[in-house]
Amino acid sequence: MKNKKITEMEIPFVYGKVVADSDFTDRTEETKKLVGNFMSLTNTAIISPRRWGKSSLVNKAVGIVSQQDSGLLFVKMNAFKCETIQDFYELFAKRVIECVSTSADSMLSNAKDFIMNLIPKLSFTDPAGQYELSFGIDLRSNPIGEDILDLPQKIASRRGKKIIVCIDEFQQIGEISDTERLQKILRSHWQEQKDVAYILYGSKKHMMLNIFGEYNSPFYKFGDLMFLPKISNADWVDFIVSRFSQTGKSITAEVASYLAENVENHSYYVQQLAQYAWLRTETDCSNQIVDEAIDAMMDSMNLQFVNLMDSLTEKQRNFLMAICDGIKNYSSADTISRYKLGTSGNVRILKGALKKRDLIDETNGVIEIQDPVFRMWIDRVYRRL
């Protein structure tokens, strides 16, 4: 991938927000697959642990397809703040109407045109013309608002377009009261829409797996299930070396590999650690500078991790310590006694509770702490507290 020229005053590593353009790293195969799913209108669920770059991947694919096919419209929605079914319906309607509106007038007109049973209200927030669309629901004619879910297909048919609806933090529907009913409603409407595809992704892997991986779930086999892997160490090395070079600094492939490996090639943390190391580098980055950057990064997150540990029970903290120690058989009498885990039955409860909080992940029977810097902090800092 060709990167734009970076001036010496710019910091060449980005974390904590959706990355784009030259800041986007690799994901060649995943991008190609997602672009193909867009073009073929294939419903897709993207699953991975937090901060692995799902949102950046979707944005990258949207950018590519938007340049190739003007007949495709994209709706972007974040369901994180949806606490009720009504919240979800209203936000869904807003985002769909926004995607086909070019001005305040057209937004109001489209709302009245496409949603007959809703009362649209357009609010201007400043003289520059910023506006927000809100709706009042006519409960007499539409008690649950299911027809809102057909809005993308209605617009696509009338406008002669295809629509891709991208919903981030989709796992939030699992927190809504009567979620199974909501999921059944969503699927029953969405699976019938021939000119619309849904890209559903979120930051809580275990909840997304419950929604899309459980046989009895309404969304089981809803579409293509993409498990996002980590970016490879080799790709990170190329990226890090290139970004240092473009700013007049140097880092060898060996040191770049050392940097990425220390945070287990985790997308968010590679970018963060690389930034910390870059800021500490005058000309040539070394392993020593990387080590100093790791210490600084952990210092910056110390309060966050302390608060996290304080929110756990003693047995949950002990279970995390056992994971850090490389224990394989957590239900053995020796492990239970050594780490004061209670009983073998309690081990299952501990595992489930930590999975629910997305602190641990289990693959092929191997349990790992999802956050590599948190694991490093436990080893290097928490043990000495």
Side-chain angles (χ1 to χ4, degrees), residues 97-108 110 129 131 159:
I97 290 297
E98 286 172 355
C99 100
V100 294
S101 304
T102 57
S103 67
D105 288 340
S106 67
M107 179 175 281
L108 191 58
N110 286 327
Y131 51 86
R159 297 284 178 87

Side-chain angles (χ1 to χ4, degrees), residues 360-377:
I360 66 172
D361 194 18
E362 186 172 14
T363 305
N364 298 324
V366 178
I367 300 175
E368 296 178 319
I369 294 176
Q370 280 197 24
D371 188 321
V373 177
F374 182 44
R375 179 195 54 73
M376 195 185 309
W377 178 86

Side-chain angles (χ1 to χ4, degrees), residues 22 26 139 164 255 273 279 292 379:
S22 59
D26 190 56
L139 297 179
I164 307 290
V255 175
L273 182 55
L279 289 169
E292 293 171 358
D379 274 338

Side-chain angles (χ1 to χ4, degrees), residues 334-369:
D334 178 66
T335 299
I336 290 173
S337 174
R338 179 182 173 187
Y339 292 95
K340 301 178 181 179
L341 300 178
T343 65
S344 58
N346 199 48
V347 168
R348 291 192 295 273
I349 295 172
L350 292 171
K351 190 191 304 183
L354 293 171
K355 280 184 178 178
K356 187 173 182 179
R357 294 192 61 172
D358 275 319
L359 293 178
I360 66 172
D361 194 18
E362 186 172 14
T363 305
N364 298 324
V366 178
I367 300 175
E368 296 178 319
I369 294 176

Side-chain angles (χ1 to χ4, degrees), residues 95-328:
R95 296 295 176 256
V96 173
I97 290 297
E98 286 172 355
C99 100
V100 294
S101 304
T102 57
S103 67
D105 288 340
S106 67
M107 179 175 281
L108 191 58
S109 175
N110 286 327
K112 291 178 177 179
D113 189 22
F114 288 108
I115 314 177
M116 298 300 295
N117 60 326
L118 297 185
I119 304 171
K121 178 182 178 182
L122 198 63
S123 302
F124 289 88
T125 57
D126 61 53
Q130 297 296 319
Y131 51 86
E132 180 180 355
L133 187 68
S134 59
F135 297 111
I137 307 297
D138 182 355
L139 297 179
R140 291 171 300 176
S141 61
N142 185 18
I144 57 175
E146 284 185 33
D147 60 333
I148 289 174
L149 300 174
D150 296 321
L151 185 58
Q153 179 59 50
K154 184 186 299 185
I155 293 175
S157 297
R158 195 177 302 183
R159 297 284 178 87
K161 300 283 188 178
K162 309 292 184 181
I163 294 179
I164 307 290
V165 180
C166 304
I167 306 182
D168 198 356
E169 303 294 357
F170 187 73
Q171 80 282 337
Q172 180 63 25
I173 69 165
E175 301 285 358
I176 292 176
S177 177
D178 204 3
T179 181
E180 186 173 356
R181 174 173 168 271
L182 173 59
Q183 291 180 44
K184 288 179 179 178
I185 292 172
L186 296 180
R187 173 147 191 173
S188 67
H189 282 264
W190 291 352
Q191 68 183 357
E192 300 295 332
Q193 298 175 8
K194 63 183 179 66
D195 298 311
V196 184
Y198 292 84
I199 312 301
L200 310 172
Y201 50 108
S203 61
K204 293 189 176 182
K205 179 181 176 182
H206 84 280
M207 293 182 67
M208 291 292 286
L209 283 172
N210 287 342
I211 293 172
F212 294 99
E214 295 292 335
Y215 179 77
N216 293 323
S217 169
F219 273 95
Y220 184 70
K221 292 190 179 298
F222 176 66
D224 189 15
L225 203 56
M226 284 183 63
F227 289 93
L228 202 62
K230 287 183 179 179
I231 295 173
S232 72
N233 185 262
D235 287 321
W236 276 124
V237 168
D238 289 344
F239 177 76
I240 294 167
V241 170
S242 173
R243 301 294 269 179
F244 266 78
S245 176
Q246 291 173 22
T247 54
K249 299 183 182 183
S250 175
I251 185 172
T252 66
E254 290 74 20
V255 175
S257 178
Y258 176 75
L259 185 155
E261 287 173 352
N262 262 280
V263 288
E264 301 175 12
N265 298 313
H266 187 291
S267 297
Y268 179 95
Y269 286 127
V270 172
Q271 294 268 19
Q272 184 178 13
L273 182 55
Q275 182 186 115
Y276 275 50
W278 183 86
L279 289 169
R280 285 165 173 75
T281 300
E282 292 187 9
T283 55
D284 301 304
C285 187
S286 64
N287 283 2
Q288 180 180 346
I289 291 176
V290 172
D291 289 337
E292 293 171 358
I294 291 172
D295 290 339
M297 188 167 70
M298 284 196 294
D299 284 345
S300 73
M301 304 182 73
N302 186 66
L303 181 59
Q304 174 187 333
F305 289 152
V306 168
N307 289 338
L308 175 56
M309 291 296 269
D310 285 345
S311 72
L312 303 176
T313 67
E314 181 181 1
K315 287 183 173 60
Q316 288 172 344
R317 293 193 292 268
N318 292 344
F319 193 82
L320 292 177
M321 297 286 280
I323 296 174
C324 289
D325 288 339
I327 297 299
K328 303 300 181 184

